[in-house]
């Protein structure tokens, strides 16, 4: 299934994408795409539905029908740093011995095509296409062999980052990662059963139509089952938590000379089978 949330910001409704690319309304079935809806039994109840019996929503998704973040009420937005060896090299940092964990504040979460706002005073706003993992069944101290049973599905994330705030202002990375609009998520949550090979997904990002990032999840240092198990050692994972798994090379910080977003650009990104995002960048105001 491809699950989504549609409608105006703050008033999104749950839906699913049918085989013809139309949005079907789930408002009379579930309250939202989040929380208990994402547990195994909740997803199975949605699979048992006949999409043809659900109301068709007017409009074409990502054209004249806005999509919100594909997960509602995200509890924790967990991110993994330097999880591609070639990205670590371009950042001038060693390959980590264990996953690097940081956070994006949930106030950064927005729809996949909503504008990205450069923060006031920013000079180094950057892009990062990433595979997002959405937790379904809760757990703590999860065995790696059982980790995928706790995953509801996958989505596209742009881990927008302000590099000066992240790396030059002291403290943790978090202050450069969680600015408002820095967490475009979606367009849809693709359930685990529809992703044939999560370890071989092509991913890309363009700025103004020029390819900046091109990678494949096959080169992840720490793969999804390990990340789920590892994170669960330090926090319980709850339905609707999101883990963003790291980015391949091609970020602005790693270019020579470095290139950062100033406003006026269009950033497009996508992952095979998971959809794509297209966002305008707004200058600081």
């Amino acid at each position: 299934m491809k699950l989504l949330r549609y409608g105006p910001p703050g008033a999104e409704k749950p839906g699913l994408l049918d085989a013809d690319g139309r949005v079907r309304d789930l408002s009379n079935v579930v309250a939202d795409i989040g929380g208990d809806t994402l547990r195994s039994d909740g997803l199975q109840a949605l699979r048992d539905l006949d999409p043809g019996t659900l109301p068709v929503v007017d409009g074409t998704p990502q054209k004249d029908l806005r999509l919100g973040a594909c997960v509602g009420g995200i509890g924790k937005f967990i991110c993994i740093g330097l999880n591609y060896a070639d990205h670590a090299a371009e950042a001038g940092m060693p390959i980590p011995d264990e996953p690097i964990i940081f956070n994006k504040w949930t106030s950064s979460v927005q729809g996949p095509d909503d504008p990205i706002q450069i923060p006031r005073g920013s000079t180094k706003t950057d892009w990062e296409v990433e595979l997002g993992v959405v937790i379904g069944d809760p757990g703590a101290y999860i065995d790696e062999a059982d980790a995928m049973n706790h995953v509801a599905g996958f989505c596209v994330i742009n881990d927008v980052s302000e590099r000066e705030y992240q790396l030059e202002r002291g403290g943790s990375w978090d202050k450069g990662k969680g600015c408002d609009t820095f967490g475009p998520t979606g367009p849809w949550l693709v359930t685990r059963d529809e992703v044939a090979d999560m370890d071989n997904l092509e991913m890309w990002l363009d700025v103004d139509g020029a390819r900046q990032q091109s990678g494949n999840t096959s080169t992840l240092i720490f793969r999804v089952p390990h990340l789920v198990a590892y994170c669960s050692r330090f926090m319980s994972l709850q339905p609707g938590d999101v883990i963003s798994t790291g980015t391949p090379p091609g970020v602005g910080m790693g270019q020579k000379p470095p290139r950062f977003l100033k406003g006026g650009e269009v950033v497009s990104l996508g992952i095979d089978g998971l959809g794509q995002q297209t966002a305008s960048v707004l200058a600081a105001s």
Side-chain angles (χ1 to χ4, degrees), residues 3-8 10-16 25-39 42-43 46 68-75 189 239-240:
L3 302 174
L4 54 85
R5 301 169 67 249
Y6 70 92
E12 291 92 348
K13 296 180 180 180
L16 63 78
D25 180 46
L26 287 171
S27 296
N28 292 327
V29 181
V30 295
D32 203 353
I33 305 300
D36 288 345
T37 299
L38 299 177
R39 291 175 180 255
L43 292 178
L46 294 181
C70 59
V71 180
I74 294 173
L189 186 166

Side-chain angles (χ1 to χ4, degrees), residues 14-254:
L16 63 78
L17 194 72
D18 71 15
D20 297 317
R22 297 172 298 183
V23 173
R24 298 279 183 162
D25 180 46
L26 287 171
S27 296
N28 292 327
V29 181
V30 295
D32 203 353
I33 305 300
D36 288 345
T37 299
L38 299 177
R39 291 175 180 255
S40 296
D41 54 354
L43 292 178
Q44 187 57 53
L46 294 181
R47 287 190 192 96
D48 291 341
L49 294 172
D50 176 1
T53 66
L54 299 170
V56 175
V57 178
D58 290 337
T60 301
Q62 299 188 275
K63 292 184 178 177
D64 55 352
L65 177 63
R66 175 190 176 269
L67 299 185
C70 59
V71 180
I74 294 173
K76 295 189 286 295
F77 199 157
I78 306 158
C79 298
I80 308 299
L82 300 179
N83 201 23
Y84 289 77
D86 34 14
H87 171 56
E90 73 174 353
M93 298 179 182
I95 294 173
D97 295 324
E98 297 187 38
I100 295 171
I101 298 176
F102 61 93
N103 297 289
K104 293 181 84 74
W105 315 126
T106 54
S107 52
S108 72
V109 176
Q110 64 173 17
D113 308 309
D114 292 344
I116 295 167
Q117 177 73 62
I118 304 265
R120 293 180 184 176
S122 167
T123 60
K124 297 181 180 180
T125 295
D126 205 346
W127 55 81
E128 295 190 10
V129 58
E130 304 203 0
L131 172 69
V133 178
V134 182
I135 299 300
D137 290 346
Y141 303 104
I142 296 167
D143 289 335
E144 187 168 336
D146 188 47
M148 293 310 298
N149 291 325
H150 294 264
V151 173
F154 303 93
C155 63
V156 180
I157 291 172
N158 187 358
D159 176 20
V160 186
S161 307
E162 214 296 339
R163 302 302 188 186
E164 179 190 359
Y165 302 172
Q166 175 191 354
L167 300 171
E168 302 173 32
R169 300 285 292 271
S172 71
W173 289 4
D174 298 346
K175 68 177 71 172
K177 293 287 189 170
C179 302
D180 289 358
T181 78
F182 273 25
T185 302
W188 23 78
L189 186 166
V190 181
T191 52
R192 187 179 78 239
D193 57 297
E194 289 205 4
V195 178
D197 187 358
M198 64 185 173
D199 292 325
N200 187 27
L201 298 175
E202 293 290 334
M203 51 204 307
W204 57 273
L205 182 145
D206 295 348
V207 177
D208 290 337
R211 185 61 40 95
Q212 305 298 321
Q213 290 188 270
S214 182
N216 189 291
T217 56
S218 64
T219 63
L220 280 166
I221 298 169
F222 303 108
R223 301 202 174 186
V224 172
H226 183 80
L227 293 175
V228 171
Y230 185 85
C231 290
S232 77
R233 299 180 198 173
F234 305 101
M235 67 201 87
S236 63
L237 298 177
Q238 303 297 326
D241 287 349
V242 173
I243 302 174
S244 197
T245 59
T247 198
V251 300
M253 175 180 66

